[in-house]
Amino acid sequence: MYFYAMGFFEESIEEAFLILFEGASEGIVVVNSDQVIVATNSSARKIFGYNKNELEGQHLQVLIPSSYHKEHHSHFENFMKHSQKREMGTGRDLFGLRKDGTQFPVEAGLNPFVLHNHRYVMSLITDITVRKESEMKIADLNDHLEEKINERTDSLNKAVEQLKQEVILRINAENNAKEALQKEKELNELKTKFLSLVSHEFKTPISGILTSATLVGKYTTEDQQEQRERHLNTIKNKVKYLNTIIDDFLSIERLDTGKAIYKTTSFPLSKVLNEVIYDANMHLKNGQNIHYPKNADDITLAFDEKILELSLSNLIHNAIKYSGEHTKVLIEVKELSEHLEIKIIDQGIGIPKQEQPFIFDRYFRAENVLLTPGTGIGLNIVQNHLKNLNATISFVSDAGKGSTFCILLPLVNNSVS
């Protein structure tokens, strides 16, 4: 059982990192302390013009113009000594070297990390050729502005009008460049935050699995079966949590690529509620309990059963996670004229008012839950799945008092008794 659990864990980790690397729109290059490339994603290979497996094992200098090799070496050595993360877009101008020998401007965010006592650096790389060209156009407009004014002094009125047009164009170009730069920075900050968040989310269960796996091997006698079972259950729960994160990433990929497949069937609402609550009961804190709606047993609906189960499981688990001991989680069901209303009500920490507009944004997490495990993608996945099925999700919340999430399912062609 121990080796089965460890094998399952390794398979999950491999799949998770494959999704993280290959799903990122930025180029990702990972090097060891000797500047040897150990991993790249498809975006990085596309940026530099390489095929799969061509870069792994090569020195990082293959991606850097030769005129920058000496300078880069000293910068890298200094970076490894201090091991400080450098945000994308800061520092000096950087240039990359494609396989065909062409150079192009890049921005690179450097993130050092240690794995199995070996030091690595992960770099997020963006091709900024388009933005540099925009900046050059702006500079060109500025360089020629005074010359154009002098050339047209003989026809002042016409020159003034033309100057106004040039100024407008320059301002528009600058505003467009600034807007593009701001969006680019926000996206890079979001992706950096996402990678840091996911790395943390994986590190915690992995540490628990490794610890329990080590301890299991020490309990070899029959009278130590209880200890073995406890650690094996820990491994199973941690692996299940990792699988949940992977499933969320896969859901995001399917939603973004339009590959989500839905299947509408007729089923009792009580069936889904019983399955979700049974699973949620294993996560209840001391004194917590879930109130089952009495009228749910009389309701049958036509919907995608798996999506409803995913949605309710996400909301109920959040209600448990963000509520304290000796609190209640209420489930209320109400039949409206055209919808079935399902409410999940908790007595938890609530959502700060200023952060409520962003609660369904992907990777967003409110300030009051940053120390609680989570990826910030669950509610975004639920909202998008429900939207695709003509259903909605909304909420009301009061910081420190709790939250109420409401799902409205369409009753068109549903059989509700």
Side-chain angles (χ1 to χ4, degrees):
M1 181 178 297
Y2 161 68
F3 291 106
Y4 173 79
M6 285 301 293
F8 187 64
F9 152 69
E10 292 173 355
E11 183 178 350
S12 299
I13 295 302
E14 181 179 357
E15 184 178 2
F17 276 95
L18 179 61
I19 293 170
L20 286 173
F21 265 62
E22 296 303 317
S25 60
E26 258 71 61
I28 300 178
V29 177
V30 180
V31 300
N32 60 22
S33 57
D34 294 325
Q35 300 188 56
V36 175
I37 300 172
V38 298
T40 61
N41 71 343
S42 60
S43 295
R45 296 189 292 273
K46 181 177 180 181
I47 290 173
F48 290 96
Y50 285 86
N51 295 323
K52 191 172 184 180
N53 299 326
E54 281 190 314
L55 285 172
E56 281 71 3
Q58 296 199 54
H59 196 278
L60 181 59
Q61 288 185 349
V62 73
L63 303 180
I64 302 172
S66 58
S67 59
Y68 294 93
H69 284 183
K70 183 176 180 181
E71 181 182 4
H72 168 76
H73 181 74
S74 62
H75 280 294
F76 186 89
E77 292 295 327
N78 183 60
F79 174 78
M80 293 300 292
K81 288 180 180 179
H82 295 88
S83 294
Q84 294 179 344
K85 180 173 71 173
R86 190 181 73 191
E87 297 294 340
M88 187 175 292
T90 61
R92 68 193 190 286
D93 289 339
L94 302 176
F95 292 88
L97 180 67
R98 297 190 180 93
K99 183 180 178 180
D100 62 7
T102 58
Q103 297 184 26
F104 62 102
V106 300
E107 282 184 346
L110 304 179
N111 294 271
F113 65 96
V114 177
L115 183 65
H116 300 308
N117 297 322
H118 294 286
R119 300 174 67 193
Y120 299 90
V121 176
M122 177 174 65
S123 179
L124 274 71
I125 300 171
T126 303
D127 183 345
I128 59 172
T129 301
V130 175
R131 177 156 61 84
K132 285 295 184 181
E133 290 176 351
S134 297
E135 292 174 353
M136 290 178 64
K137 290 180 181 178
I138 293 172
D140 184 67
L141 285 171
N142 289 331
D143 290 341
H144 291 84
L145 185 58
E146 183 176 355
E147 178 184 351
K148 290 180 180 180
I149 294 174
N150 293 331
E151 291 175 352
R152 294 162 186 170
T153 52
D154 293 337
S155 52
L156 183 58
N157 292 332
K158 183 178 179 180
V160 171
E161 185 62 29
Q162 290 179 337
L163 177 58
K164 289 180 179 179
Q165 295 301 319
E166 290 288 344
V167 171
I168 292 175
L169 289 174
R170 181 168 61 87
I171 292 175
N172 288 338
E174 290 177 346
N175 289 338
N176 291 336
K178 289 179 181 178
E179 183 178 353
L181 177 60
Q182 182 61 32
K183 290 182 178 179
E184 192 174 328
K185 287 183 177 180
E186 290 175 357
L187 180 60
N188 290 333
E189 290 173 359
L190 182 62
K191 290 184 178 294
T192 300
K193 179 181 178 181
F194 165 71
L195 287 175
S196 299
L197 179 65
V198 172
S199 298
H200 179 268
E201 286 302 304
F202 274 104
K203 183 177 180 180
T204 300
I206 288 172
S207 298
I209 291 172
L210 292 177
T211 300
S212 293
T214 301
L215 293 175
V216 164
K218 296 182 179 181
Y219 298 124
T220 58
T221 62
E222 184 176 350
D223 61 341
Q224 294 176 321
Q225 179 63 25
E226 182 178 348
Q227 291 94 324
R228 284 197 296 272
E229 290 293 336
R230 184 173 68 252
H231 289 295
L232 288 174
N233 286 332
T234 297
I235 293 174
K236 292 177 183 177
N237 290 334
K238 299 297 184 182
V239 170
K240 182 177 180 181
Y241 177 66
L242 290 172
N243 278 335
T244 299
I245 297 177
I246 294 171
D247 288 340
D248 285 345
F249 293 150
L250 291 174
S251 291
I252 287 177
E253 182 182 15
R254 286 192 290 266
L255 286 167
D256 287 347
T257 58
K259 295 180 180 179
I261 300 175
Y262 302 105
K263 182 179 180 181
T264 299
T265 59
S266 180
F267 57 91
L269 176 61
S270 58
K271 175 186 177 184
V272 175
L273 284 175
N274 287 332
E275 292 176 355
V276 172
I277 293 175
Y278 177 80
D279 181 64
N281 281 334
M282 293 185 289
H283 301 279
L284 290 175
K285 300 173 185 175
N286 183 37
Q288 281 187 327
N289 58 78
I290 301 173
H291 285 229
Y292 184 91
K294 295 181 180 179
N295 58 330
D297 295 335
D298 301 325
I299 298 176
T300 300
L301 67 158
F303 198 71
D304 189 304
E305 185 175 347
K306 292 299 182 182
I307 296 303
L308 180 59
E309 181 179 345
L310 169 71
S311 302
L312 294 178
S313 178
N314 185 282
L315 296 180
I316 292 175
H317 277 78
N318 281 350
I320 293 172
K321 181 165 61 174
Y322 299 126
S323 299
E325 297 181 348
H326 304 286
T327 55
K328 300 176 182 178
V329 176
L330 305 179
I331 304 175
E332 295 183 354
V333 178
K334 185 178 181 180
E335 300 176 52
L336 306 177
S337 59
E338 297 181 353
H339 295 87
L340 176 66
E341 179 185 77
I342 305 176
K343 289 184 177 182
I344 309 298
I345 307 169
D346 66 54
Q347 300 172 328
I349 60 177
I351 305 167
K353 185 175 181 180
Q354 68 274 16
E355 297 185 326
Q356 291 182 12
F358 315 106
I359 201 66
F360 290 110
D361 291 352
R362 187 175 298 177
Y363 311 131
F364 177 79
R365 305 200 72 214
E367 291 183 356
N368 59 344
V369 299
L370 293 180
L371 298 181
T372 305
T375 59
I377 60 179
L379 288 177
N380 178 266
I381 292 173
V382 169
Q383 184 190 51
N384 280 284
H385 278 311
L386 292 177
K387 181 180 180 181
N388 290 342
L389 291 168
N390 296 318
T392 63
I393 180 172
S394 59
F395 73 95
V396 292
S397 184
D398 193 355
K401 296 182 180 180
S403 303
T404 297
F405 280 82
C406 177
I407 293 177
L408 287 179
L409 305 177
L411 290 180
V412 179
N413 295 327
N414 283 358
S415 174
V416 182
S417 58

